[in-house]
Each structure stands twice: as C-alpha cells, then as structure tokens.
Amino acid sequence: MVQTMDKYFNSVYITDSIPKLLPYLKVTFMVVGLSVLFGTLLGFILAVAKIRQGKIAKKFADLYTTALRCTPSIVLLFLVYYGIPAIAKNFGIDLDDVDKVVFIVIAFSLMFAAAMCDVIKTAYESVDKGQFEAAISVGLSDVQAYITIILPQAFVVALPNIGNSLLALIKEGALGYTIGLIDVMGKASLIISGNINAHALEIYIALSIIYWVISIVIEQLFLKFEKVFSKGKQTIKVT
C-alpha cells in the first residue's frame, strides 16, 4: 500500500527538498564564478585578436568561436574531462587524481570565453570611433582614452549580453552532475536515487524553483546595472 501511495504526486516533497538542495548552491556558484573569471579573461584576449586584425591571431579567434558555438556543452565537457587526462598520459602525466571541478571549470571557461569574445567585440565596435580621436585630441594617451572613454561606453552596451551569457552558463553548469559533480543538480539526482526514483517530479520542480529564483534575481540585477550605468553614459562622451 505504501509503494502505491509513493507513486502519487505529493507537494510536501517540494518544500522538503528545497532546504536540502540550497546548501549545494555554493558549489554551483563556485564553478560559475571561476568559469566567468577565466572565460572573461580568455574572451577578452580573443576579442583583441579579432579587433586588431592580425591575420593569424584573427583566424585562430574566428576558428575558436565557430568551433565552440558548434559544440554542444555536454560534448565539450566530456572532451575536456576524458580528453585532457588521456593526452596528459601520453606525456607521462597522471591526472586521475585531479578534482573533477577543475575539468568542469576548464570546459565552461572555454565555452564562456567564446560567448564573451563576441560580446566584447560587438560592444567595442558599437562605440563611435570619433570618441577615441576626440579623447586623443584633448591630451589623453591611448591607454587613458580606452580606459576612461571607450571601455565605459562599451561596458554599457555589453551589459545585456553579459547577463544573458551568465544565465546561460548557470543553466549549462547543471551538466556538471553528469561526471559526478555534487552541486545543486547533483544533489537532486542523489535525492531521487535515494528515493528509488519515487517523487522525482517533485524534486525536479523544487530544483526548477531554485533556478527560476536565481535567474530572476540576476536578470533584475543586470536591469538595475543597465539603468545606473546608462545614466552616466552621456557624461563620459568627449564632445
């Protein structure tokens, strides 16, 4: 009789699961934070390669972004997780004891870099080039012109796409459980396994609620950032 009742939807499992899942958000945020940091740095380097029009560097950056856009996230994750240790073994390096978080961060950093490369390039190109020339004409150095005039305006343009890329990364990051990462998604899978797959729907609903709240909070934060930075956009223009 108990087994029969377990098959029915029970909302209590939703409210019971959320407190069990929330502590594992710190792992999710750690992976996302590191991926954003390294991905943004690599994306900036790739964007500079495209903007400066160096033949070899530009071709490499174009090839990189095209390849990453065409590679599903889970495939990239498996390529990194299984590929890097396999290649390292050919050089006598054993990476079997390396924490899987390292490979997950590498995979999602590579993915985020491709997105940020295009975001940075597009934002930079949207700024009127006359602004740079005007800044130089009033006595600013090239570095000062970029830092005080070009980058702030480009940042405002890039904000919406940065927010979208961040939201996409948070959702894609859930794939880390496929190689054994115990983050919020991994914990949900463990709970479902512990229940012998009973009430999986309720637990996934609880997981969805957590992701919905995170997404809404981030979306609203970026909207506020856009309003704040847009107010000062006109003041940093050189006329």
Side-chain angles (χ1 to χ4, degrees), residues 28 108 169-178 183 185-186 207 211:
T28 299
F108 289 122
L169 177 63
I170 290 173
K171 290 181 285 188
E172 296 289 347
L175 294 172
Y177 91 99
T178 59
D183 61 348
M185 181 66 194
L207 184 63
Y211 275 107

Side-chain angles (χ1 to χ4, degrees), residues 42-68:
L42 178 56
F44 180 80
I45 294 171
L46 292 168
V48 170
K50 285 190 175 186
I51 292 169
R52 290 198 170 184
Q53 301 293 320
K55 189 173 181 181
I56 297 177
K58 184 177 183 300
K59 282 188 176 181
F60 174 80
D62 287 337
L63 178 62
Y64 179 93
T65 53
T66 300
L68 268 292

Side-chain angles (χ1 to χ4, degrees), residues 97-122:
D97 293 330
V98 174
D99 195 309
K100 57 177 64 69
V101 170
V102 174
F103 300 107
I104 293 170
V105 169
I106 291 173
F108 289 122
S109 295
L110 293 174
M111 182 183 71
F112 194 71
M116 288 306 297
C117 172
D118 290 333
V119 168
I120 294 170
K121 179 177 179 290
T122 302

Side-chain angles (χ1 to χ4, degrees), residues 134-150:
I136 297 299
S137 68
V138 298
L140 295 180
S141 66
D142 288 4
V143 174
Q144 290 174 325
Y146 277 115
I147 293 176
T148 61
I149 304 299
I150 303 301

Side-chain angles (χ1 to χ4, degrees), residues 2 11 21 27 33 37 47 50 66 93 99 112 120 136 145 152-153 160 162-163 168 173 180 189-190 209 223 228:
V2 174
S11 61
L21 296 173
V27 180
L37 174 62
K50 285 190 175 186
T66 300
I93 303 173
D99 195 309
F112 194 71
I120 294 170
I136 297 299
Q153 294 183 64
I162 293 174
S189 297
L190 288 177
I209 291 172
L223 286 174
V228 171

Side-chain angles (χ1 to χ4, degrees), residues 24-33 170 183-185 211:
Y24 292 85
L25 275 177
K26 62 184 179 182
V27 180
T28 299
F29 288 147
M30 178 191 68
V31 170
V32 171
I170 290 173
D183 61 348
V184 66
M185 181 66 194
Y211 275 107

